[in-house]
Amino acid sequence: MDLNKKVISLCKRRGFIFPSSEIYEGIGGVYDFGPLGVELKNNIKEAWRQEMILKHDNIVGLDASILMNPRVWQASGHLSAGFADELLECKKCRKRFKADEIKENKCPECGGKLAEPKKFNLMMKTFIGPVENKASITYLRPETCQGIYINFLNVLNSMRLKLPFGMAQIGKSFRNEINPKNFIFRTREFEQMEMQWFCNPKDADKYFDYWKEERIRWYERLGIKKENLRAVEIPEKDRAHYAKRQVDIEYHFSFGWGEIEGIHNRGDWDLKNHSQHSGKDLTYTEEDGSKYHPYIIETSVGVGRSLFAFLNEAYQEVKGGRTTTTKSIKETEVVLKFPKSLAPVKVLVLPLVKNKPEITKKAKEIYQMLKSSFMCQYDEVASIGKRYRRGDEIGVLYAVTIDFDTLNDNSVTLRDRDTMKQERIKIKDLISILKTKINV
Ligand code: GAP
């Protein structure tokens, strides 16, 4: 089985990600995040929020709505040809493809002839209010950042900000993708983490390079190896309709290189267009009285796409197993080596045996004690070796084992996922030791 299939299968089996509406045969390009997927996703979002808002000066948060006045999309250019893919349909099997993914003029599925390309707008349409007519049409946003631009004045004035400053937001976006593919890589509903850096036009190039480097370092700090990341300068003909300059940060997935984040110099495209369409003055006034539309440097990352990259990076197989003391050495073991901040479960609590009530009672007490400080799981089913491996497979950082000695010495065994080293720890010190190790 190739790596992609293994990761996808693990995601389903261990509660990370499920295809949406599975009992009704699914729905194309939509996925649900299970209990572990939610934790992982929240950890990624929190790591991004900390990086952008807490670490950097002058970046504030926002949570704008998914639904906006449809005039927003007129102004942003999303209702015109700029936000459309070219669609090719096979005359034989009727499958549809994005034109830029087709090398020859033949269907990659059945070899059939392809029809002439058609433009296909990616906006998801809906109606607002009880009457379904032209006047009630609106759209699910295809990018979160327009909510930031239309709140530019609100935030500038209410927070008394001065250029340069940033606005950051995390939220859902929707695109009617022709060809969703590669699991959660390209979906029709997804989340984005976007930061818009408003600056004086003369500083835009400098900040573009700054943010590009900052964003690459963020992935590296979260454990992505340098060789699995690259920054690709996008030529003018392939850039998004709003971008003066665009660099895609790509990750080396098992199916090839794929964009996980876009860094864009959007110039004054957005604020100028919104000024024109709304009639509101969205310029910035300098202390000397000069006015201009700030330039925007955007960093835009998909939560699901980056999560998929983090999953791929963390996935490790050890042929023959890591344990040398038990029979398990013959099996292939899987370890998800997530960095500490991203691991969805931090601590696994294990009674050595499940048929001794004194031990399970103590283990449950310890689980209760730990669970308000760390994301924990309690597991008493199967041999201790199997349970350790089950924890490794979902990337649990530490396992706490309660054994017969615990009842006398009030200590437990703490096992480290990566080194598999075990140490004896007093129960009274457990929380503070784990806090130091996990750094939470
Ligand atoms: N506001 C700019 C913007 O939306 P984009 O390059 O179209 O730029 C940014 O998207 C990021 O959003 C991508 O790098 C990717 O991580 C994520 N993304 C875009 N379309 C997606 C899709 N259909 N499925 C999953 N993630 C997607």
Side-chain angles (χ1 to χ4, degrees):
M1 218 199 285
D2 75 15
L3 177 65
N4 208 31
K5 285 201 178 120
K6 286 179 187 165
V7 172
I8 295 170
S9 148
L10 175 70
C11 281
K12 171 102 196 277
R13 195 161 33 82
R14 297 305 311 272
F16 283 89
I17 300 163
F18 312 119
S20 166
S21 320
E22 211 181 0
I23 62 167
Y24 292 103
E25 292 165 12
I27 172 168
V30 189
Y31 287 87
D32 297 338
F33 287 80
L36 297 190
V38 170
E39 293 304 320
L40 178 56
K41 204 160 128 158
N42 285 341
N43 292 344
I44 293 171
K45 291 197 267 186
E46 183 52 26
W48 185 85
R49 197 186 74 86
Q50 291 213 4
E51 168 77 10
M52 303 314 267
I53 297 185
L54 304 192
K55 188 181 125 186
H56 285 98
D57 289 339
N58 252 7
I59 300 188
V60 294
L62 188 80
D63 185 8
S65 306
I66 290 172
L67 297 175
M68 290 174 236
N69 187 309
R71 288 167 64 205
V72 169
W73 306 113
Q74 214 81 54
S76 70
H78 284 84
L79 290 180
S80 47
F83 193 60
D85 276 346
E86 290 222 311
L87 176 149
L88 286 171
E89 189 173 80
C90 172
K91 288 183 175 170
K92 200 166 149 200
C93 71
R94 297 279 156 211
K95 286 235 163 78
R96 288 166 177 178
F97 305 93
K98 274 177 80 169
D100 58 6
E101 288 176 352
I102 298 293
K103 304 239 160 21
E104 298 163 56
N105 194 24
K106 266 204 248 146
C107 171
E109 296 279 327
C110 74
K113 264 197 133 192
L114 298 171
E116 285 299 303
K118 279 188 211 146
K119 281 274 182 192
F120 178 81
N121 191 281
L122 302 181
M123 297 290 279
M124 288 259 196
K125 226 181 241 175
T126 189
F127 298 95
I128 205 149
V131 187
E132 292 189 7
N133 60 20
K134 247 186 157 184
S136 64
I137 290 176
T138 189
Y139 302 88
L140 305 185
R141 66 183 177 198
E143 57 174 9
T144 62
C145 55
Q146 295 299 329
I148 290 183
Y149 309 143
I150 61 172
N151 278 293
F152 173 69
L153 283 186
N154 287 337
V155 175
L156 180 74
N157 295 335
S158 61
M159 304 301 286
R160 298 190 310 280
L161 292 166
K162 290 219 165 8
L163 288 192
F165 69 88
M167 286 166 70
Q169 110 162 325
I170 300 176
K172 288 260 178 162
S173 293
F174 302 81
R175 293 184 193 174
N176 203 1
E177 298 283 359
I178 296 169
N179 190 14
K181 66 172 188 183
N182 286 327
F183 191 43
I184 56 167
F185 180 79
R186 190 193 294 146
T187 54
R188 292 190 167 118
E189 174 175 341
F190 53 96
E191 258 179 302
Q192 291 183 308
M193 305 188 284
E194 299 199 302
M195 192 283 296
Q196 312 299 312
W197 184 253
F198 298 89
C199 63
N200 188 310
K202 71 176 168 40
D203 297 327
D205 291 341
K206 173 182 87 182
Y207 284 125
F208 188 100
D209 292 334
Y210 171 80
W211 282 112
K212 183 185 90 178
E213 295 304 323
E214 281 292 279
R215 295 303 304 142
I216 291 171
R217 271 199 290 275
W218 184 74
Y219 292 105
E220 288 173 356
R221 277 201 302 278
L222 287 174
I224 301 219
K225 288 188 264 332
K226 268 192 184 355
E227 65 262 31
N228 285 337
L229 281 175
R230 69 178 189 191
V232 181
E233 188 80 44
I234 305 298
E236 190 174 354
K237 68 177 180 31
D238 297 329
R239 281 180 212 149
H241 63 275
Y242 47 73
K244 279 181 176 308
R245 187 181 167 198
Q246 175 175 342
V247 165
D248 288 350
I249 300 177
E250 296 188 344
Y251 177 74
H252 197 195
F253 289 95
S254 51
F255 52 81
W257 288 95
E259 174 199 337
I260 50 176
E261 173 154 357
I263 314 292
H264 307 124
N265 177 351
R266 301 181 68 125
D268 57 8
W269 167 268
D270 299 280
L271 291 181
K272 215 177 195 170
N273 277 326
H274 284 305
S275 284
Q276 273 165 11
H277 281 75
S278 67
K280 301 284 181 308
D281 179 7
L282 302 183
T283 53
Y284 178 81
T285 310
E286 289 284 0
E287 273 164 18
D288 66 7
S290 59
K291 277 174 178 274
Y292 55 88
H293 286 109
Y295 269 29
I296 293 166
I297 306 300
E298 167 181 64
T299 71
S300 172
V301 49
V303 179
R305 262 196 209 176
S306 59
L307 182 148
F308 197 22
F310 287 122
L311 260 173
N312 270 266
E313 191 74 16
Y315 187 94
Q316 290 190 11
E317 275 183 354
V318 186
K319 294 243 156 55
R322 298 192 297 163
T323 322
T324 50
T325 50
T326 68
K327 285 185 184 153
S328 67
I329 50 175
K330 291 182 197 69
E331 292 170 13
T332 294
E333 288 179 17
V334 172
V335 189
L336 282 186
K337 287 207 170 182
F338 287 123
K340 290 183 175 170
S341 59
L342 298 192
V345 180
K346 311 290 188 210
V347 184
L348 189 58
V349 181
L350 310 168
L352 184 65
V353 289
K354 77 163 186 185
N355 54 2
K356 288 278 178 253
E358 326 78 280
I359 291 193
T360 50
K361 181 168 172 272
K362 193 79 197 159
K364 281 176 187 162
E365 272 171 33
I366 291 174
Y367 170 66
Q368 286 303 330
M369 177 184 94
L370 296 177
K371 77 192 273 284
S372 53
S373 303
F374 315 98
M375 190 66 204
C376 291
Q377 269 190 0
Y378 176 85
D379 188 1
E380 59 177 31
V381 180
S383 73
I384 192 77
K386 263 207 176 126
R387 281 181 280 157
Y388 282 148
R389 287 194 293 284
R390 225 159 33 209
D392 292 343
E393 197 186 35
I394 56 167
V396 182
L397 300 173
Y398 295 99
V400 171
T401 304
I402 292 86
D403 56 21
F404 292 96
D405 289 340
T406 307
L407 304 175
N408 301 319
D409 65 3
N410 277 318
S411 298
V412 291
T413 302
L414 189 66
R415 175 196 182 261
D416 179 297
R417 176 195 70 194
D418 297 338
T419 62
M420 295 199 305
K421 279 207 178 113
Q422 303 194 357
E423 53 182 319
R424 214 56 199 164
I425 304 279
K426 288 270 176 228
I427 295 171
K428 68 174 174 48
D429 300 331
L430 198 51
I431 290 186
S432 66
I433 287 177
L434 281 170
K435 278 195 172 160
T436 311
K437 283 183 185 288
I438 299 171
N439 197 16
V440 288

